[in-house]
Amino acid sequence: MAIWTKNHQQTTTTTTTATTHCHSSRLADLGSTDPRSHLVPPRLLDSGPMGLGGELVAVWEVPLSDGLHKVGFEHGTTTGRRVLWVDGKVNGKSYKKFTENQSKILKTWLFPLEGALTRVVLEKDTLDVWVNGNRLDTAGEFVDDGTETHFDLSGHPAYIRAVSSGNRREGLIHSLVVDDVEIPEAVE
């Protein structure tokens, strides 16, 4: 399959399952089974406001039988997740709805540690802790007012404390402590 890089050079790569599925459904509309028979090279665009929070790798305008579509690819530097979106939607949700859902399930802290910017992310639904894109091994502990999830940050003791807010709608309040200092939540 031909793809176009940011330098507008044509390169060849293998077709992924997601790409095959996307092309197969569109090719059915066109009445063809050969994925290359109606493929028009997409036009690479600059990054735009449709980014969904990860690092924007590329945005293309892709002509399909039902019109021109904007397709973007992002790579999350924190979690390593890759996101492919079409016309500003992820999993059929609008960008706004997607970001609202993400803010409900993730808690992020960004701070300097030993001269480098460090990002710690808590996935609230799985209680996984990610540091600069790598999932860490953690140890949970029950304490008097909630729980603490302990882990090591390059030799610095750290933990995420979860305590009840006292309000059912707010749920738990998570705070990060590194070297016995509470780190403020990142504003993203």
Side-chain angles (χ1 to χ4, degrees):
M1 176 176 117
I3 62 168
W4 297 86
T5 64
K6 284 191 177 188
N7 297 336
H8 300 287
Q9 299 168 332
Q10 187 173 5
T11 60
T12 304
T13 185
T14 57
T15 304
T16 63
T17 305
T19 304
T20 303
H21 174 72
C22 177
H23 287 304
S24 298
S25 64
R26 294 294 183 188
L27 292 172
D29 295 339
L30 298 172
S32 173
T33 57
D34 182 1
R36 293 165 292 185
S37 63
H38 296 289
L39 184 62
V40 176
R43 188 171 68 112
L44 184 65
L45 302 175
D46 293 330
S47 61
M50 294 178 71
L52 300 177
E55 183 178 327
L56 190 60
V57 176
V59 178
W60 299 271
E61 278 186 345
V62 181
L64 297 172
S65 62
D66 62 343
L68 194 63
H69 294 274
K70 191 176 277 191
V71 177
F73 176 70
E74 295 185 10
H75 180 248
T77 56
T78 303
T79 63
R81 291 184 183 168
R82 287 146 181 95
V83 177
L84 183 66
W85 48 264
V86 178
D87 296 331
K89 295 190 176 184
V90 179
N91 294 335
K93 298 176 187 167
S94 70
Y95 170 68
K96 182 178 178 184
K97 188 67 172 171
F98 177 79
T99 55
E100 286 173 3
N101 288 343
Q102 288 299 98
S103 68
K104 290 178 186 175
I105 64 170
L106 298 177
K107 186 80 167 189
T108 305
W109 296 270
L110 189 61
F111 58 98
L113 182 67
E114 295 183 354
L117 209 51
T118 303
R119 180 182 301 266
V120 175
V121 177
L122 170 67
E123 288 188 39
K124 295 181 198 177
D125 54 349
T126 63
L127 297 181
D128 286 338
V129 175
W130 298 80
V131 175
N132 297 332
N134 299 310
R135 190 167 71 92
L136 296 184
D137 291 328
T138 61
E141 177 182 351
F142 289 97
V143 294
D144 290 337
D145 56 350
T147 63
E148 291 179 354
T149 303
H150 292 263
F151 52 96
D152 180 72
L153 284 177
S154 303
H156 298 268
Y159 62 91
I160 296 174
R161 179 183 301 128
V163 296
S164 173
S165 65
N167 182 334
R168 189 174 190 180
R169 288 193 159 190
E170 286 184 42
L172 296 174
I173 296 173
H174 296 90
S175 54
L176 172 65
V177 177
V178 178
D179 290 331
D180 294 322
V181 175
E182 187 169 335
I183 306 297
E185 182 180 1
V187 179
E188 295 190 49

